[in-house]
């Protein structure tokens, strides 16, 4: 069984805390899917690399080939991991622009694991007050556990065995289980259709 995961991260620097969180969530999800017997194709989308193309797409309706490929990756994925830094108590503007240029049906029924980083723990409400409603509005299946990581979460050299690490493992298990459950349902439905 092969599963596809797209990781959407909108940090402003290559070595940002947002990217580190996204990488940790992706690794943990791949590990859980492997445990369930699936192989995983992982596609990482750095939103900042599509900044100019996003503006062109929104103002002139002329997306680039690279942006089209990124949008298609989100649409065809079995699951999405979406991570943003927190700016002014919300997701950043590039993250929102990327979501705005997605096809209206791209996220319907798709399992989505949400994550965010911020300079203070007070920003953790961004998950439930901004990100969850955004994805729910697009009919995605937003998983119960969202992951926020603030400065205190990065105090250790590695996240394994830390409180953040345990939260990541729980969220990754939820995403892997949801992807696997949906795949099983589709397989049963396809077999049933052939038998009739």
């Amino acid at each position: 069984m092969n599963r596809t995961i797209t990781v959407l991260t909108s940090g402003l620097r290559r070595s940002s805390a947002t990217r580190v969180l996204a990488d940790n969530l992706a690794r943990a999800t791949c590990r859980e899917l492997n445990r369930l017997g699936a192989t995983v194709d992982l596609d990482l989308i750095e939103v900042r690399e599509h900044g100019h193309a996003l503006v062109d797409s929104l103002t002139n309706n002329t997306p680039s080939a690279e942006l089209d490929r990124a949008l298609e990756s989100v649409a065809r994925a079995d699951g999405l991991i979406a991570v943003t830094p927190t700016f002014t108590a919300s997701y950043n503007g590039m993250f929102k622009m990327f979501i705005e240029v997605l096809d209206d049906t791209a996220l319907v029924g798709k399992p989505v694991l949400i994550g965010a980083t911020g300079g203070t723990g007070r920003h953790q409400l961004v998950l439930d007050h901004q990100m969850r409603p955004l994805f729910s509005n697009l009919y995605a299946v937003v998983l119960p556990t969202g992951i926020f990581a603030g400065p205190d979460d990065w105090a250790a050299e590695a996240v394994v065995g830390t409180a953040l690490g345990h939260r990541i493992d729980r969220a990754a298990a939820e995403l892997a289980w949801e992807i696997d459950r949906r795949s099983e349902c589709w397989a049963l439905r396809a077999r049933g259709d052939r038998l009739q």
Side-chain angles (χ1 to χ4, degrees):
M1 295 182 297
N2 191 58
R3 305 289 178 255
T4 58
I5 303 289
T6 296
V7 182
L8 186 66
T9 177
S10 63
L12 299 183
R13 294 178 311 282
R14 186 171 299 279
S15 60
S16 68
T18 304
R19 173 63 189 270
V20 173
L21 179 58
D23 287 346
N24 276 280
L25 289 168
R27 274 194 298 273
T29 302
C30 289
R31 191 169 54 244
E32 286 296 320
L33 281 166
N34 291 160
R35 194 179 58 76
L36 292 170
T39 58
V40 183
D41 287 331
L42 196 64
D43 192 12
L44 176 72
I45 298 170
E46 290 265 16
V47 176
R48 66 182 171 76
E49 294 176 357
H50 301 283
H52 292 292
L54 285 166
V55 172
D56 288 342
S57 181
L58 286 169
T59 58
N60 304 322
N61 198 25
T62 55
S64 68
E66 293 81 13
L67 178 57
D68 278 342
R69 189 205 64 77
L71 297 171
E72 178 60 25
S73 174
V74 172
R76 69 174 166 71
D78 294 311
L80 176 68
I81 297 171
V83 186
T84 180
T86 307
F87 287 6
T88 320
S90 187
Y91 33 73
N92 74 4
M94 281 195 300
F95 182 86
K96 182 62 161 56
M97 282 196 299
F98 188 93
I99 300 301
E100 285 175 356
V101 300
L102 278 172
D103 183 272
D104 290 346
T105 62
L107 296 176
V108 174
K110 191 179 303 294
V112 177
L113 192 169
I114 56 174
T117 58
T120 172
R122 293 191 303 273
H123 288 312
Q124 65 186 312
L125 290 175
V126 68
L127 295 172
D128 291 324
H129 287 258
Q130 301 292 324
M131 294 186 74
R132 196 173 296 278
L134 173 68
F135 285 106
S136 294
N137 183 62
L138 296 169
Y139 301 101
V141 178
V142 186
L143 297 171
T145 302
I147 303 297
F148 179 86
D152 293 345
D153 291 305
W154 305 116
E157 287 187 19
V159 299
V160 177
T162 65
L164 175 60
H166 293 307
R167 295 196 312 269
I168 287 171
D169 289 343
R170 182 173 64 236
E174 288 175 7
L175 179 58
W177 182 85
E178 187 66 23
I179 290 169
D180 188 63
R181 183 184 73 81
R182 287 166 179 274
S183 300
E184 293 278 332
C185 289
W186 283 111
L188 288 172
R189 182 177 294 175
R191 283 198 295 273
D193 289 345
R194 285 196 299 270
L195 292 173
Q196 293 178 350

